[in-house]
Amino acid sequence: MKNALITGINGQDGSYLAELLLSKGYTVYGILRRKSVVDYGNVAHIKDKIKFIYADMTDVVSLINAMRISQADEVYNLAAQSFVATSWEQPIATTEIDAVGVTNMLEAIRLINPKCRFYQASTSEMFGKVQAIPQDENTPFYPRSPYGVSKLYGYWITKNYRESFGLYTCNGILFNHEGERRGKEFVTRKITDTVARIKLGCQDCLELGNLNAKRDWGHSKDYVRAMYLMLQQDEPDDYVVATGETRTVRDFAKIAFEKVGMNVEFSGEGVDEIGTDTATGKVVVKVNPDFFRPAEVELLIGNPKKAEEKLGWKREISFDQMVERMVSTDLALVSREIKLAGSL
Ligand code: GDD
């Protein structure tokens, strides 16, 4: 059976991918960064099935060691400083991890096992200020953040090692993908967590930044299947993974409130825009300029035709089902939190 090495295994995508590969009989190795307290994150429930290796994307020696220990046939590079907003505060760290880190991993593969297949988590953020609608594998890139710029380097070095050294390397250009395991700094999970808190009476208002930003949102569980499929082909290639649908942040919030039985109407403009609960007249959404970005990606919508036709990939979780899953999970989590606080 095959060995897989996943960087970023304790994140949302790492956890769904680890579950998928374990179900296919892989021996799964996962890279963790050393912290004072061990952080299994989203793989805590399957930690006994995974072989963990301490390493860091910025330390090539540790990655060479990880390749030696794991004897990996496939490497999935999901480790990143993945929050776009933080990339303006930590541009150098973002570059070292998201750009140079990719070369470190590729060099480790080249040295230890050049037959090892490599998946790079590329992103729709590389399209940034979009040059075509919808975006596909041929759309020119125009990144709008230090994160997007770093990821663009990762994309090109992955392609370059394929062309220069004949390595089997693939870029998955994944559009936004969410789910119950998403971190709360990202807008979708921030919304579903806060909607649950408002519904259960422990928060009054959801504060957001740019309500007009449009994203193509799918579910992470569907998207990790595409990663796996990319590494099972005869030839390596790059693929867009998306739903082909786009919605505003405002739409996402409105639908999330609907899932808990609240109808929210929006009025006003710019920083004065508010969302009002029509049943009570209370303001439940406000704009907070602190969440605006120095440069924004206004519209993303991907065309997944190539992945569907060549990989046979198809998404199974609709947008509506995804919001439903996220809201119901957060209602359960927040209820538990309230009960626990009450029993203290
Ligand atoms: N996080 C956040 N918080 N975003 C907000 C908020 C808020 O309060 N209010 C509005 N937004 C807007 C952001 O300005 C952005 O336009 C959009 O919501 C989505 O933001 P995020 O959920 O933080 O995701 P992202 O699109 O910047 O990046 C995610 O998707 C990329 C793929 O396109 C991340 O997962 C990246 O790592 C990934 O590459």
Side-chain angles (χ1 to χ4, degrees):
M1 276 320 295
K2 288 188 196 164
N3 294 353
L5 175 65
I6 305 176
T7 75
I9 195 162
N10 49 357
Q12 169 187 251
D13 293 1
S15 69
Y16 283 121
L17 180 65
E19 285 171 5
L20 177 75
L21 297 178
L22 285 169
S23 77
K24 292 187 182 297
Y26 278 68
T27 302
V28 175
Y29 290 82
I31 284 181
L32 287 184
R33 252 180 314 160
R34 212 207 78 81
K35 287 185 181 170
S36 51
V37 179
V38 187
D39 177 14
Y40 294 110
N42 283 309
V43 286
H45 65 298
I46 47 170
K47 70 174 177 11
D48 298 337
K49 298 187 177 139
I50 296 168
K51 297 176 189 296
F52 293 101
I53 301 169
Y54 283 99
D56 194 301
M57 295 308 293
T58 62
D59 182 340
V60 69
V61 173
S62 72
L63 297 178
I64 291 170
N65 201 32
M67 280 301 293
R68 262 202 203 113
I69 295 170
S70 66
Q71 293 294 307
D73 303 291
E74 296 174 7
V75 169
Y76 295 85
N77 183 31
L78 313 185
Q81 189 304 94
S82 65
F83 189 40
V84 173
T86 295
S87 75
W88 280 281
E89 289 154 13
Q90 299 177 21
I92 310 296
T94 302
T95 307
E96 281 169 356
I97 299 162
D98 298 7
V100 182
V102 186
T103 311
N104 287 340
M105 192 70 244
L106 286 165
E107 277 299 319
I109 289 174
R110 210 157 76 85
L111 206 66
I112 303 299
N113 177 16
K115 288 207 162 48
C116 175
R117 298 185 167 201
F118 177 73
Y119 172 86
Q120 167 61 10
S122 285
T123 159
S124 50
E125 274 292 303
M126 301 186 308
F127 295 122
K129 189 170 172 184
V130 299
Q131 304 294 298
I133 298 171
Q135 297 86 51
D136 64 19
E137 293 79 5
N138 298 314
T139 304
F141 300 116
Y142 194 138
R144 293 272 280 171
S145 61
Y147 168 82
V149 173
S150 302
K151 280 286 186 177
L152 192 52
Y153 173 92
Y155 167 89
W156 280 115
I157 202 71
T158 297
K159 219 174 159 82
N160 181 261
Y161 271 49
R162 179 162 82 218
E163 293 172 2
S164 305
F165 304 118
L167 297 193
Y168 187 113
T169 64
C170 297
N171 281 293
I173 307 172
L174 269 53
F175 282 61
N176 296 52
H177 43 289
E178 314 297 316
E180 309 84 280
R181 300 178 187 173
R182 189 61 145 147
K184 289 181 191 167
E185 67 273 37
F186 298 97
V187 79
T188 57
R189 185 75 199 289
K190 176 178 174 180
I191 292 172
T192 59
D193 172 66
T194 311
V195 163
R197 287 175 196 281
I198 292 173
K199 177 67 183 176
L200 296 171
C202 51
Q203 193 166 328
D204 295 327
C205 191
L206 166 64
E207 291 192 2
L208 293 170
N210 181 5
L211 295 173
N212 295 317
K214 286 184 161 178
R215 288 293 183 277
D216 178 330
W217 280 297
H219 196 290
S220 166
K221 196 168 183 204
D222 278 337
Y223 285 33
V224 300
R225 257 193 345 270
M227 300 177 186
Y228 164 75
L229 287 169
M230 283 178 219
L231 296 201
Q232 315 310 316
Q233 305 306 305
D234 291 338
E235 297 296 331
D237 206 345
D238 306 319
Y239 298 88
V240 158
V241 182
T243 70
E245 298 167 11
T246 193
R247 292 177 179 80
T248 62
V249 169
R250 184 186 299 101
D251 292 337
F252 193 105
K254 190 168 167 58
I255 294 165
F257 276 112
E258 276 166 22
K259 297 289 177 202
V260 297
M262 291 169 69
N263 180 43
V264 173
E265 292 297 339
F266 286 85
S267 59
E269 267 180 38
V271 289
D272 298 322
E273 183 166 351
I274 50 168
T276 309
D277 175 3
T278 55
T280 61
K282 281 189 184 159
V283 173
V284 287
V285 183
K286 277 186 198 158
V287 173
N288 181 343
D290 287 350
F291 298 111
F292 290 163
R293 293 178 178 177
E296 179 62 286
V297 172
E298 295 292 349
L299 162 73
L300 290 176
I301 178 166
N303 178 359
K305 195 159 172 261
K306 181 175 170 185
E308 288 175 351
E309 288 182 0
K310 293 207 168 167
L311 302 176
W313 175 79
K314 216 166 140 298
R315 80 163 157 153
E316 287 168 4
I317 303 168
S318 70
F319 178 81
D320 196 66
Q321 287 166 334
M322 180 181 80
V323 183
E324 176 84 48
R325 283 168 72 142
M326 292 176 73
V327 170
S328 58
T329 302
D330 279 326
L331 278 173
L333 287 172
V334 176
S335 301
R336 210 165 60 200
E337 205 180 293
I338 294 170
K339 266 194 209 125
L340 213 69
S343 67
L344 287 181

